[in-house]
Amino acid sequence: MNKIKRIHFVGIKGVGMTPLAIIAKEAGFVVSGCDVDQEFITDESLKKAGITVQIGFDKAHIKNVDLVITTGAHGGFDNVENIEAKNKQIPVWTQGEAAGRFMDGEIFGRELKGISISGAHGKTTTTAMIATILKASGLDPSYIVGTGNVPSLGSCGHYGKGEYFVAEADEYSTEPNYDKTPKFLWQKPLSGVITNIEFDHPDVYLSIEEMKSAFEKFTNNIKDEGALVACLDDKETATVIKKYQKRLITYGFSSQADFNIKKYSLEEDRVYFWVNAKETLIGQFILNVTGEHNILNALCSIVVCLELGLPFEKIKTGLLQFKGSKRRAEFRGNIASGAYLYDDYAHHPTEIKKTLETFKKSYPEKKIVCIFQPHTYSRTKSLFEQFSSSFSSADEVILTDIYSSLREKPDLSVSSKILADSVSKTKKDVLYIAKLEDVVKYLDQKEYNGGYIIITMGAGDVYTIAEDLLNG
């Protein structure tokens, strides 16, 4: 490890890759990286970190490099740069492997204590909350948060002087074509979290049982002196944790959970909630983002930080500093005609449903227009029925063409037009508009006023229309 001085990142703009690159640079490594010539939500963080992105993929980039870290996209191990590195006998780590190796601290010459947050939904927000509390408590954690930026942290990645390393733990495969090992199995944390388990990634998992098996293996990676923190409200998680033999702490709205919500009050942009330890009230908390799902994310963060020994008041103060993260119900501004514009990363039916429900509860007087861009043909096809019924809280729905992942081929048996027809069976105002530029033209013509909330939603590039809408 002490021979590694220069690290090259293939696909550096990815939300899992950018934080690693920032950590490496802050730790003193010479960092280089390349990616496609396309706007990413991580562009700003890379620029702020002083990391220049080479455009395109070329074996000439593999020059004076000691280690290559690669994404599973852009060909994965078949990318020309990875092939060149292997020909030169330069080690190639995937994003998942690198996250695990960074967490153990050996590459930095010291031992770190990992905190791994897994789950189908909520792991980005929960990771950001925990890192924010630790930072506000003066513990200077290292962290990997899978988004463009977190305002309360100042970045999506950081190499801290403290002993904790907080990271998302992703259940997707290490390398889609050559290594199906779930990425989170590279992590060996002190504290592990499961927010929820739901069927996703049909290109990797054949069933929910396969996914649950992967999560069971993840729990086995938690160190003996650590703890598993799990949401008891989630039925699939509840079945997985029955087999867990080490220290277990549960949380949720359920009164059966070790830590549970006594009551709460939702407002437009904040939540007040009261936490019980079993039947004993331990205090009131304030969260500056709204939604029942965020109450659970916050409760999980509180439990993890209590387990680490943080004082109650520091946790309460730290949580107050969290103001959300990029592409998570992010307020982008008011468009020229007055409507409120938000953006969200939701790309699974459950995420869509919960996010729209939160907006409806928080803004009952406003009409909600949801612009959804499905992400991957495989997910759209496998979860088609769930997608069809996930927009009930929206007043109007606009569906754009499917954003295809670089790791899959188009599937003509499914499309956004077919999905729009299915959604329209239960909703009146449903439109299929193929191209994003045509969505902008449509919204300009409609001139939605301040009585409307427009939400761009999806894991692709739907967020890029915000500038056109805001600038009129």
Side-chain angles (χ1 to χ4, degrees), residues 381 411-415 418:
K381 186 173 184 176
D411 183 345
L412 299 180
S413 69
V414 67
S415 70
I418 296 171

Side-chain angles (χ1 to χ4, degrees), residues 58-179:
D58 192 318
K59 65 182 183 180
H61 293 159
I62 309 302
K63 187 187 302 179
N64 298 321
V65 169
D66 304 313
L67 171 67
V68 171
I69 297 176
T70 185
T71 176
H74 308 301
F77 286 151
D78 288 330
N79 185 286
V80 293
E81 298 193 9
N82 295 324
I83 292 171
E84 178 71 2
K86 290 184 178 181
N87 287 341
K88 291 185 172 182
Q89 296 185 318
I90 297 168
V92 177
W93 296 353
T94 61
Q95 187 277 336
E97 181 179 359
R101 286 178 174 268
F102 279 28
M103 177 178 281
D104 69 31
E106 185 183 356
I107 193 170
F108 310 119
R110 64 192 184 106
E111 188 175 341
L112 294 169
K113 295 179 179 178
I115 303 168
S116 298
I117 296 85
S118 75
H121 322 297
K123 54 182 175 286
T124 298
T125 298
T126 306
T127 303
M129 285 180 176
I130 293 170
T132 298
I133 295 168
L134 293 177
K135 179 186 177 185
S137 301
L139 297 177
D140 194 18
S142 302
Y143 51 80
I144 297 172
V145 187
T147 187
N149 185 38
V150 181
S152 58
L153 295 172
S155 181
C156 55
H158 173 60
Y159 177 65
K161 296 177 181 178
E163 62 181 339
Y164 295 112
F165 193 108
V166 193
E168 288 189 42
D170 188 358
E171 72 275 13
Y172 195 72
S173 60
T174 294
E175 206 281 357
N177 294 316
Y178 295 100
D179 188 350

Side-chain angles (χ1 to χ4, degrees), residues 41-339:
I41 62 170
T42 56
D43 288 349
E44 185 180 334
S45 288
L46 287 167
K47 184 178 179 180
K48 183 179 176 183
I51 298 173
T52 301
V53 180
Q54 298 164 297
I55 299 303
F57 305 99
D58 192 318
K59 65 182 183 180
H61 293 159
I62 309 302
K63 187 187 302 179
N64 298 321
V65 169
D66 304 313
L67 171 67
V68 171
I69 297 176
T70 185
T71 176
H74 308 301
F77 286 151
D78 288 330
N79 185 286
V80 293
E81 298 193 9
N82 295 324
I83 292 171
E84 178 71 2
K86 290 184 178 181
N87 287 341
K88 291 185 172 182
Q89 296 185 318
I90 297 168
V92 177
W93 296 353
T94 61
Q95 187 277 336
E97 181 179 359
R101 286 178 174 268
F102 279 28
M103 177 178 281
D104 69 31
E106 185 183 356
I107 193 170
F108 310 119
R110 64 192 184 106
E111 188 175 341
L112 294 169
K113 295 179 179 178
I115 303 168
S116 298
I117 296 85
S118 75
H121 322 297
K123 54 182 175 286
T124 298
T125 298
T126 306
T127 303
M129 285 180 176
I130 293 170
T132 298
I133 295 168
L134 293 177
K135 179 186 177 185
S137 301
L139 297 177
D140 194 18
S142 302
Y143 51 80
I144 297 172
V145 187
T147 187
N149 185 38
V150 181
S152 58
L153 295 172
S155 181
C156 55
H158 173 60
Y159 177 65
K161 296 177 181 178
E163 62 181 339
Y164 295 112
F165 193 108
V166 193
E168 288 189 42
D170 188 358
E171 72 275 13
Y172 195 72
S173 60
T174 294
E175 206 281 357
N177 294 316
Y178 295 100
D179 188 350
K180 300 292 186 182
T181 304
K183 291 203 281 186
F184 57 21
L185 296 188
W186 290 97
Q187 299 182 23
K188 307 291 191 296
L190 174 69
S191 298
V193 167
I194 302 179
T195 59
N196 44 61
I197 302 171
E198 192 167 3
F199 183 63
D200 197 4
H201 309 303
D203 54 331
V204 175
Y205 296 100
L206 298 177
S207 66
I208 186 66
E209 294 304 320
E210 257 193 27
M211 288 197 73
K212 286 162 64 175
S213 176
F215 277 89
E216 286 176 16
K217 291 175 182 175
F218 166 72
T219 66
N220 292 333
N221 277 2
I222 298 170
K223 294 182 178 179
D224 291 344
E225 66 272 25
L228 169 63
V229 177
C231 183
L232 195 62
D233 295 354
D234 182 66
K235 65 176 184 177
E236 304 296 356
T237 302
T239 61
V240 166
I241 62 178
K242 284 179 181 177
K243 300 179 182 179
Y244 190 68
Q245 299 298 312
K246 292 180 278 190
R247 179 163 167 73
L248 170 67
I249 308 168
T250 59
Y251 70 94
F253 287 102
S254 169
S255 60
Q256 301 301 308
D258 297 321
F259 290 85
N260 55 77
I261 301 299
K262 181 176 174 62
K263 62 178 179 176
Y264 64 92
S265 174
L266 291 176
E267 295 189 357
E268 286 188 2
D269 56 358
R270 65 169 47 188
V271 178
Y272 298 87
F273 62 100
W274 289 259
V275 176
N276 274 7
K278 286 297 187 183
E279 297 181 0
T280 303
L281 180 66
I282 64 170
Q284 179 202 36
F285 291 82
I286 303 171
L287 181 63
N288 284 313
V289 291
T290 192
E292 293 174 359
H293 59 299
N294 278 323
I295 296 175
L296 283 177
N297 294 334
L299 179 57
C300 176
S301 303
I302 291 165
V303 173
V304 169
C305 292
L306 285 172
E307 175 65 15
L308 297 177
L310 267 69
F312 176 86
E313 286 304 320
K314 282 196 173 183
I315 296 173
K316 189 173 182 179
T317 301
L319 193 61
L320 260 177
Q321 294 190 18
F322 181 74
K323 302 293 196 299
S325 55
K326 195 164 186 65
R327 302 222 60 215
R328 268 64 177 184
E330 179 191 7
F331 178 60
R332 297 299 308 272
N334 292 86
I335 66 174
S337 55

